[in-house]
mmCIF file of all heavy atoms in Angstrom:
data_model
loop_
_atom_site.group_PDB
_atom_site.id
_atom_site.type_symbol
_atom_site.label_atom_id
_atom_site.label_comp_id
_atom_site.label_asym_id
_atom_site.label_seq_id
_atom_site.Cartn_x
_atom_site.Cartn_y
_atom_site.Cartn_z
ATOM 1 N N MET R 1 -27.026 -23.575 -13.274
ATOM 2 C CA MET R 1 -27.729 -24.723 -12.940
ATOM 3 C C MET R 1 -27.236 -26.024 -13.650
ATOM 4 O O MET R 1 -27.086 -26.032 -14.925
ATOM 5 C CB MET R 1 -29.241 -24.573 -13.168
ATOM 6 C CG MET R 1 -30.055 -25.849 -12.873
ATOM 7 S SD MET R 1 -31.756 -25.693 -13.291
ATOM 8 C CE MET R 1 -32.112 -23.933 -13.498
ATOM 9 N N SER R 33 -22.007 -19.602 -23.169
ATOM 10 C CA SER R 33 -22.412 -19.409 -21.812
ATOM 11 C C SER R 33 -23.060 -20.596 -21.058
ATOM 12 O O SER R 33 -23.768 -20.554 -20.147
ATOM 13 C CB SER R 33 -23.413 -18.180 -21.620
ATOM 14 O OG SER R 33 -24.448 -18.411 -22.551
ATOM 15 N N ALA R 34 -22.559 -21.829 -21.507
ATOM 16 C CA ALA R 34 -22.892 -23.163 -21.013
ATOM 17 C C ALA R 34 -21.815 -24.039 -21.270
ATOM 18 O O ALA R 34 -20.980 -23.779 -22.132
ATOM 19 C CB ALA R 34 -24.244 -23.593 -21.531
ATOM 20 N N SER R 35 -21.776 -25.094 -20.396
ATOM 21 C CA SER R 35 -20.639 -26.080 -20.681
ATOM 22 C C SER R 35 -21.191 -27.512 -20.451
ATOM 23 O O SER R 35 -22.216 -27.687 -20.031
ATOM 24 C CB SER R 35 -19.355 -25.730 -20.000
ATOM 25 O OG SER R 35 -19.833 -25.545 -18.471
ATOM 26 N N LEU R 54 -17.998 -22.265 -8.198
ATOM 27 C CA LEU R 54 -17.794 -21.526 -9.294
ATOM 28 C C LEU R 54 -18.422 -20.147 -9.304
ATOM 29 O O LEU R 54 -17.878 -19.164 -9.721
ATOM 30 C CB LEU R 54 -18.346 -22.218 -10.666
ATOM 31 C CG LEU R 54 -17.806 -21.679 -11.903
ATOM 32 C CD1 LEU R 54 -16.241 -21.672 -11.995
ATOM 33 C CD2 LEU R 54 -18.401 -22.451 -13.075
ATOM 34 N N ASP R 73 -25.326 -11.425 -15.271
ATOM 35 C CA ASP R 73 -24.929 -12.952 -15.394
ATOM 36 C C ASP R 73 -24.186 -13.189 -16.642
ATOM 37 O O ASP R 73 -23.689 -14.205 -16.971
ATOM 38 C CB ASP R 73 -25.999 -13.946 -15.057
ATOM 39 C CG ASP R 73 -27.141 -13.825 -16.292
ATOM 40 O OD1 ASP R 73 -27.205 -12.845 -16.910
ATOM 41 O OD2 ASP R 73 -27.772 -14.901 -16.447
ATOM 42 N N PRO R 76 -19.971 -13.282 -16.390
ATOM 43 C CA PRO R 76 -19.657 -14.355 -15.707
ATOM 44 C C PRO R 76 -19.949 -15.756 -16.293
ATOM 45 O O PRO R 76 -19.133 -16.618 -16.268
ATOM 46 C CB PRO R 76 -20.554 -14.151 -14.325
ATOM 47 C CG PRO R 76 -20.683 -12.740 -14.280
ATOM 48 C CD PRO R 76 -20.916 -12.306 -15.676
ATOM 49 N N ALA R 77 -21.055 -15.737 -17.159
ATOM 50 C CA ALA R 77 -21.397 -16.872 -17.789
ATOM 51 C C ALA R 77 -20.282 -17.203 -18.881
ATOM 52 O O ALA R 77 -19.897 -18.507 -19.068
ATOM 53 C CB ALA R 77 -22.703 -16.823 -18.501
ATOM 54 N N LYS R 80 -17.164 -18.496 -16.945
ATOM 55 C CA LYS R 80 -17.337 -19.850 -16.408
ATOM 56 C C LYS R 80 -17.274 -20.949 -17.632
ATOM 57 O O LYS R 80 -16.719 -22.005 -17.400
ATOM 58 C CB LYS R 80 -18.739 -19.923 -15.739
ATOM 59 C CG LYS R 80 -18.836 -19.249 -14.433
ATOM 60 C CD LYS R 80 -20.311 -19.179 -13.983
ATOM 61 C CE LYS R 80 -20.345 -18.369 -12.654
ATOM 62 N NZ LYS R 80 -21.773 -18.265 -12.206
ATOM 63 N N SER R 81 -17.830 -20.591 -18.708
ATOM 64 C CA SER R 81 -17.721 -21.507 -19.877
ATOM 65 C C SER R 81 -16.249 -21.713 -20.333
ATOM 66 O O SER R 81 -15.876 -22.701 -20.656
ATOM 67 C CB SER R 81 -18.618 -20.913 -20.986
ATOM 68 O OG SER R 81 -18.435 -21.712 -22.078
ATOM 69 N N THR R 84 -14.516 -24.145 -18.026
ATOM 70 C CA THR R 84 -14.933 -25.473 -18.004
ATOM 71 C C THR R 84 -14.945 -25.997 -19.467
ATOM 72 O O THR R 84 -13.951 -25.626 -20.117
ATOM 73 C CB THR R 84 -16.346 -25.490 -17.406
ATOM 74 O OG1 THR R 84 -17.236 -24.578 -18.206
ATOM 75 C CG2 THR R 84 -16.554 -25.162 -16.039
ATOM 76 N N TRP R 108 -24.084 -27.968 -18.002
ATOM 77 C CA TRP R 108 -23.911 -26.779 -17.063
ATOM 78 C C TRP R 108 -24.301 -25.362 -17.531
ATOM 79 O O TRP R 108 -23.488 -24.814 -18.304
ATOM 80 C CB TRP R 108 -22.487 -26.736 -16.477
ATOM 81 C CG TRP R 108 -22.315 -26.112 -15.144
ATOM 82 C CD1 TRP R 108 -23.166 -25.207 -14.471
ATOM 83 C CD2 TRP R 108 -21.243 -26.234 -14.331
ATOM 84 N NE1 TRP R 108 -22.728 -24.784 -13.302
ATOM 85 C CE2 TRP R 108 -21.491 -25.284 -13.188
ATOM 86 C CE3 TRP R 108 -19.985 -26.782 -14.399
ATOM 87 C CZ2 TRP R 108 -20.453 -25.160 -12.074
ATOM 88 C CZ3 TRP R 108 -19.054 -26.637 -13.356
ATOM 89 C CH2 TRP R 108 -19.347 -25.897 -12.229
ATOM 90 N N GLU R 109 -25.506 -24.970 -17.188
ATOM 91 C CA GLU R 109 -26.009 -23.683 -17.658
ATOM 92 C C GLU R 109 -25.422 -22.708 -16.760
ATOM 93 O O GLU R 109 -25.653 -22.609 -15.506
ATOM 94 C CB GLU R 109 -27.573 -23.651 -17.602
ATOM 95 C CG GLU R 109 -28.170 -22.339 -17.968
ATOM 96 C CD GLU R 109 -27.910 -21.826 -19.334
ATOM 97 O OE1 GLU R 109 -28.207 -22.603 -20.288
ATOM 98 O OE2 GLU R 109 -27.309 -20.756 -19.482
ATOM 99 N N HIS R 110 -24.861 -21.573 -17.318
ATOM 100 C CA HIS R 110 -24.203 -20.552 -16.617
ATOM 101 C C HIS R 110 -25.094 -19.213 -16.687
ATOM 102 O O HIS R 110 -24.633 -18.249 -15.891
ATOM 103 C CB HIS R 110 -22.800 -20.183 -17.115
ATOM 104 C CG HIS R 110 -22.018 -21.433 -16.953
ATOM 105 N ND1 HIS R 110 -21.576 -22.207 -15.843
ATOM 106 C CD2 HIS R 110 -21.284 -22.031 -18.060
ATOM 107 C CE1 HIS R 110 -20.849 -23.080 -16.142
ATOM 108 N NE2 HIS R 110 -20.625 -23.115 -17.388
ATOM 109 N N ARG R 111 -26.229 -19.257 -17.188
ATOM 110 C CA ARG R 111 -27.107 -18.138 -17.175
ATOM 111 C C ARG R 111 -28.225 -18.303 -16.314
ATOM 112 O O ARG R 111 -28.603 -19.487 -16.061
ATOM 113 C CB ARG R 111 -27.622 -17.803 -18.641
ATOM 114 C CG ARG R 111 -26.610 -17.561 -19.658
ATOM 115 C CD ARG R 111 -25.854 -16.159 -19.466
ATOM 116 N NE ARG R 111 -26.601 -14.911 -19.256
ATOM 117 C CZ ARG R 111 -26.889 -14.141 -20.283
ATOM 118 N NH1 ARG R 111 -26.587 -14.251 -21.343
ATOM 119 N NH2 ARG R 111 -27.632 -13.017 -19.897
ATOM 120 N N HIS R 112 -28.852 -17.269 -15.737
ATOM 121 C CA HIS R 112 -30.112 -17.482 -14.917
ATOM 122 C C HIS R 112 -31.156 -17.997 -15.651
ATOM 123 O O HIS R 112 -32.022 -18.831 -15.220
ATOM 124 C CB HIS R 112 -30.399 -16.136 -14.192
ATOM 125 C CG HIS R 112 -29.425 -15.701 -13.243
ATOM 126 N ND1 HIS R 112 -28.910 -16.345 -12.128
ATOM 127 C CD2 HIS R 112 -28.653 -14.529 -13.290
ATOM 128 C CE1 HIS R 112 -28.056 -15.770 -11.469
ATOM 129 N NE2 HIS R 112 -27.872 -14.505 -12.065
#
Side-chain angles (χ1 to χ4, degrees):
M1 173 183 349
S33 56
S35 54
L54 194 58
D73 67 337
K80 291 172 183 179
S81 179
T84 54
W108 196 348
E109 175 60 61
H110 301 301
R111 300 295 306 263
H112 295 303

